[in-house]
Each structure stands twice: as structure tokens, then as C-alpha cells.
Amino acid sequence: MKTMKPRRVLPLVLVAALMVLTFSACESASTGSNPSTNENAASTSNTPEIDTNGKYQKPVTMTWAVQTAAASKLLDNETWEDNRWSRLIKDKLNIDLQVAFSADSSTDAYKNKLNAVIASGDLPDIFKTQDANVFLQLAQNGQLADLTDVYNKYASDSLKEYQKRFPDSFKGATVNGKLYAIPRMNDNFHEAPFLWIREDWLKNTNSQPPKTIEEMVALAEKFATGDPDGNGINGDTYGLALNKDLIRQNHGSILGLVSAFGVPGRDESMFYRDENAKMTFAWIQPNMKAALSLLADMYKKGLINKEFTSKDESALVEDITSGKIGMAYGSNWGTWYPYNNVYKKDGVIVHPYSIPTESGYDYKIGIESNAVGQMTMVSADFKHPEAAINILNLYDQTVNYSTKEDYLKYWADEQYRLSPVFIDQPGEVYAADLLEAFDKGSSDGLPPAAKPLYDYIAGFENGSLAKDDNAFGTWGQMSRSGSLPIVLNKYIPDKAIVQSILGIQRPDEWLTNVASLDTLTITAFTNIITGAKPVDYFDTFVQQWLKAGGQQTLDELDKMYPAK
């Protein structure tokens, strides 16, 4: 990749510095200051004594930032400070884990807290971000440990195989030829959207899953004006859910709907070359007018939840769980969350379907570059960066190459989140392998980490694991009727997948203006959908976007990622 010049601290951190004032000292008091600072400062050796299994002769303290979320689970009276992973890591590696801070990553809480911590300069020893801009800025400002040598020295052969399997991911974690993070080891095909529908509402309204946008609207009308939940009251439900962030990869986004109109939508990062090889951006496509017009009409008719402008993901999930929502566009993990809540509460399956298409348009699915995704970083001030690699080795051995009992204890029920560093390689990458295994009726030959997934799906389908959260989640994702086979068997063969060109290289203009451009987009789309602005206001929005740094970003990207 191109050599990058060191940059000044970017506006994101400058803004975050002001935010520090809003975080009172009480959280610092509750979590304590960085407990490893003195210990690390006192260390005079960069070659700690470690045995062949990665265990330190003397205890090492590591602080970490915890990403909590509704999907996270603490079992058996465990805590984030004292749990199966903290005890395993202490026992096997002699590393004492201490929580630097914790915050909800399903809302903006974690992002805001991390921004404040970055501004303060008191980084945890190990922490994560999904924001490529944050990662890039920290690497360029010398705040991250260079993991190149410790990875080469301490990574197991198994870990190094992941580097071969997911080269784009590792390239995205590399700046100026140096590895500054443990990347999400994945192929982002799993980011494709689907239409999730309550099976009981389909049955109650004598309906079939919609294949076209026209059929989707008709179904939304049945759900919104009839009595799909069977409570004897017409019109107390909504047909299609939206959440206020609209363009995020959350449940209730517009990503699947706009895809039907040939717009490969994907948050604020979807840059690509069109059929004429011209650099462009998803949200300024002319076809957006038709999609927004449809949404505005649905909103006016009451088919969309009127309060969506105040519904973040957690609020929307409450509506889904309480049985107010019949249909929503969303991501592949729906049976893990939030539709597991519906299944546990009502015994009802909310099922994923291929997005309905619109006549006259070739549908397009937008996904991120494989070079971006969640990054696990180590502070440059931490004296034992190799500890992160040793934990990763332990994770890989315990989860992917040990016993089924270990897999169930340390991975299942979201328990992998208790480890400060893990291979963020979701089971999605095994979707094709699992389909082949089910076709032949045997798990023989599957990779070790895929065999439990096979057992979960088989157990859910034969009823033996009908009440198991892991089985339900895996089944809805990777069974033959799950979400990911839709990508493998339809989206990809239809050549509908469009991958963003935006890797780890980011134009200064975009880094400076991305937050304001993002807000501009969501505000404009919200105003059009709710009727506060006419559909033709979209043309004004496009001009505003181009003038506010969008056009310069396109020009810079055209040079940074030249056409092949």
C-alpha cells in the first residue's frame, strides 16, 4: 500500500477532547486509573521470560476496554472482572486482566467513551474499534504498538494460516508496512441485508413472503391495518420497521430496500466505481429518489412506525420483542439478536428472506471492503504487546482445536466476548462448508470450529436443541433455509454484490468531513420520509453533499484507488 505521511490529530479526536468534560470522574473512580501503568513503566526488559506455552514467569497485568451489548451474557454469577476467560488466561498465561472501562457497543456509548479516552491519552492496554478512521489516526499518531515482530515471533502456525486465508483483513490492519492491530478475520459477504418476517403474521394474514417491492408494500399494509397478531384489534401494529439511524447496518435500516432500486447502500463508506468506471457514492445515486418516494408514501399511510425518528436499535428491539413489528430489513445474525427474543417469548420464528426486488432495476448489495472491520489494538505504552498474541493463541487452541466441552464453555452463549482478544472470525465463513455437509448428511471433513455449528443446526431441526439459543441462532444463519445461503446461492450468483473500494487509505477531506456528511445524509433522508421535505429535496441534498467535501473526496479517491 502507499506510504502515508504522519498527520496531525484529526477533528474526531479534537471533538472527543471536549467530550471528556461530559464524562465525570465518577467512572474513573469506579474503574480506577490504569493499574498497569506503574508496573509497565517499571519494566526494563522487552524480552520477558515466557515458557513455550506462552506463560509468563512473573505476573503481567493487562487492562482492557469491555464492549457490552444486549447480546453479551454473563453466566454462573460471573462478572467482566472475574469469569471463565479471566481465570483461564491467568492459569495458562499468568496474565491478570483488569477492566479499564466498559460501555455499550450496540449504541454510541462505547464509541463516545473511547473517543474521550483517546483524547485523554490514557488508553487501555488493549481495546477495539470498528471505526477505521479511529484506527488510522491512532496508528499514524504513534499511539498503537507495532505488532509486526511480536506477531511473527509468537503467533502459532494456526494463527499464521488465518493471515494467509484473510490477506485483505491483515492488509487493512497494516500502516506503512507495520501491523498495528489484530483484524477481523473475515470475508464481508455476510454484511448483505435480508428481509425478516414473523412467520405467525404471514400465516395469520394468509400471505406468502414477498418477492417484489409491490408485494412487500401490500404485506406491510396487511400487517399495519389488519389484525396480524390476533389480539382482536385492527391497526395497532406496524408493517415495516425503521430505526432512526436509517443507513447503519442495524435492524430496521433502509439498506435492503434501496438495494432493490440498484443502490448498494452501506453506512457512510460505500464508494465504488459505476458501470462507466466513474468513482461514485451510494447515497447520491439518482435511484434513491424512487426508494425515498416509496418510503415516504409508506410512512404517510401509516405502514412504518411513526416514531422511528426517536427509535435507536435498543428501542426498536423493544417493539420487535413486544410483538408490534411484523417485518424489517436487517443483517444475517437476526436469530442471534433480536429475533431470539421473539422466539423465547412467543415461540415464534422471524425468518430471513431474500430482499424483494423492483421491476426495471438490477438490485445491488453493498458491503465493506474486506480490508476494514473491527480492529483489536494494543496501546504503544503497554510493555508486553506479545501478551495479546499469546491470548489469541490460547483462544484459537481452546475454541477451535480443543474439546467440544471447551467450545461450549468458552465460545457458546456469547462467552467468547469475555476474552479481551479473540479471533473475530464468525461462523459465517463456514456457511458454504456447512451446506455441503448437510447435502451429504455428515459433518465428516468439516473444520474443527465448524463441527459444533453443524451439531447446532441438526439439533434444532430434529428438536433436540429446540430451546437452545446457540442452536436457534446458528440455524437461522447457516441452515439451508437460513440467511447466508441466500447470499451464496442468490446474491453472489446474481452478481449483485458491490464491494466498497474504501480500504484503510482515507482521503484527508473525507476524514475531516465524514461526520458532518453522515449527519447530512440521515437528516435529509429522514425529512423526506416523514414528509418534512418533498422528494425533490433529494437533488438539493446531493448538491450539499458534493459541496461539503463529497466531491473532493470522490476526486481524491479516484487517484488513491485508480481504476483497474
Side-chain angles (χ1 to χ4, degrees), residues 283-286 537-547:
W283 301 123
I284 62 172
Q285 299 308 304
Y537 178 73
F538 175 78
D539 300 325
T540 301
F541 153 73
V542 172
Q543 293 306 311
Q544 291 174 337
W545 188 90
L546 292 170
K547 289 178 181 178

Side-chain angles (χ1 to χ4, degrees), residues 81-121:
E81 292 78 14
D82 180 20
N83 55 69
R84 61 199 64 195
W85 273 105
S86 67
R87 294 190 290 269
L88 181 70
I89 289 168
K90 174 62 177 177
D91 178 55
K92 298 293 187 181
L93 303 177
N94 202 16
I95 296 173
D96 294 309
L97 296 179
Q98 295 189 11
V99 174
F101 72 85
S102 62
D104 190 347
S105 60
S106 63
T107 67
D108 286 338
Y110 179 84
K111 178 178 72 174
N112 292 340
K113 178 60 179 174
L114 180 60
N115 285 342
V117 169
I118 290 171
S120 75

Side-chain angles (χ1 to χ4, degrees), residues 261-550:
F261 291 85
V263 178
R266 170 74 198 178
D267 58 47
E268 75 284 356
S269 64
M270 194 62 209
F271 293 92
Y272 60 102
R273 291 189 179 276
D274 63 18
E275 62 274 11
N276 299 314
K278 182 179 179 181
M279 187 67 68
T280 190
F281 180 65
W283 301 123
I284 62 172
Q285 299 308 304
N287 292 0
M288 275 301 302
K289 288 182 77 171
L292 290 170
S293 177
L294 175 79
L295 286 166
D297 187 58
M298 293 181 71
Y299 181 86
K300 185 177 180 180
K301 291 179 177 177
L303 310 187
I304 293 171
N305 45 322
K306 291 285 188 181
E307 304 82 13
F308 86 84
T309 55
S310 62
K311 298 279 185 184
D312 60 14
E313 174 135 332
S314 59
L316 181 61
V317 167
E318 289 182 17
D319 286 345
I320 290 172
T321 305
S322 64
K324 295 297 182 184
I325 302 294
M327 184 164 52
Y329 289 94
S331 302
N332 78 81
W333 57 78
T335 47
W336 288 99
Y337 180 80
Y339 301 120
N340 60 322
N341 294 334
V342 179
Y343 182 66
K344 285 190 289 188
K345 177 176 175 286
D346 300 325
V348 169
I349 291 174
V350 182
H351 203 280
Y353 296 96
S354 173
I355 62 166
T357 56
E358 175 71 353
S359 177
Y361 298 88
D362 292 327
Y363 76 99
K364 298 295 179 185
I365 304 289
I367 65 173
E368 285 183 304
S369 164
N370 288 335
V372 300
Q374 181 158 271
M375 302 288 186
T376 301
M377 301 157 289
V378 178
S379 169
D381 294 331
F382 187 41
K383 300 302 181 182
H384 302 287
E386 75 287 337
I389 309 304
N390 287 327
I391 292 176
L392 197 60
N393 287 333
L394 177 62
Y395 175 90
D396 187 38
Q397 179 61 39
T398 303
V399 171
N400 293 328
Y401 295 98
S402 189
T403 65
K404 183 176 181 180
E405 289 71 27
D406 277 346
Y407 180 88
L408 294 175
K409 180 176 180 179
Y410 293 104
W411 183 88
D413 296 313
E414 307 290 329
Q415 297 307 287
Y416 66 90
R417 296 176 185 268
L418 299 176
S419 176
V421 56
F422 48 82
I423 298 173
D424 199 10
Q425 176 199 348
E428 287 100 306
V429 298
Y430 297 121
D433 298 326
L434 287 165
L435 287 177
E436 291 182 10
F438 276 105
D439 284 343
K440 68 180 184 181
S442 171
S443 63
D444 292 346
L446 280 174
K451 288 185 177 181
L453 304 177
Y454 180 97
D455 292 340
Y456 279 139
I457 295 170
F460 185 81
E461 291 183 342
N462 67 29
S464 62
L465 295 176
K467 304 257 183 218
D468 187 288
D469 280 357
N470 300 293
F472 180 61
T474 307
W475 172 81
Q477 199 174 35
M478 287 183 282
S479 70
R480 280 171 287 198
S481 60
S483 55
L484 292 178
I486 294 172
V487 185
L488 297 172
N489 298 329
K490 180 169 176 57
Y491 293 170
I492 292 176
D494 285 353
K495 295 181 169 47
I497 300 292
V498 178
Q499 193 160 41
S500 175
I501 59 89
L502 193 65
I504 199 60
Q505 289 181 273
R506 307 284 167 116
D508 283 343
E509 188 69 21
W510 190 76
L511 289 169
T512 302
N513 294 299
V514 60
S516 58
L517 290 173
D518 187 46
T519 299
L520 177 69
T521 303
I522 293 175
T523 301
F525 290 2
T526 299
N527 284 337
I528 291 172
I529 293 170
T530 60
K533 298 284 187 182
V535 174
D536 285 341
Y537 178 73
F538 175 78
D539 300 325
T540 301
F541 153 73
V542 172
Q543 293 306 311
Q544 291 174 337
W545 188 90
L546 292 170
K547 289 178 181 178

Side-chain angles (χ1 to χ4, degrees), residues 30 52 148 191 253 258 280 298 302 359 511:
S30 64
T52 55
T148 311
E191 292 179 348
S253 76
V258 302
T280 190
M298 293 181 71
S359 177
L511 289 169

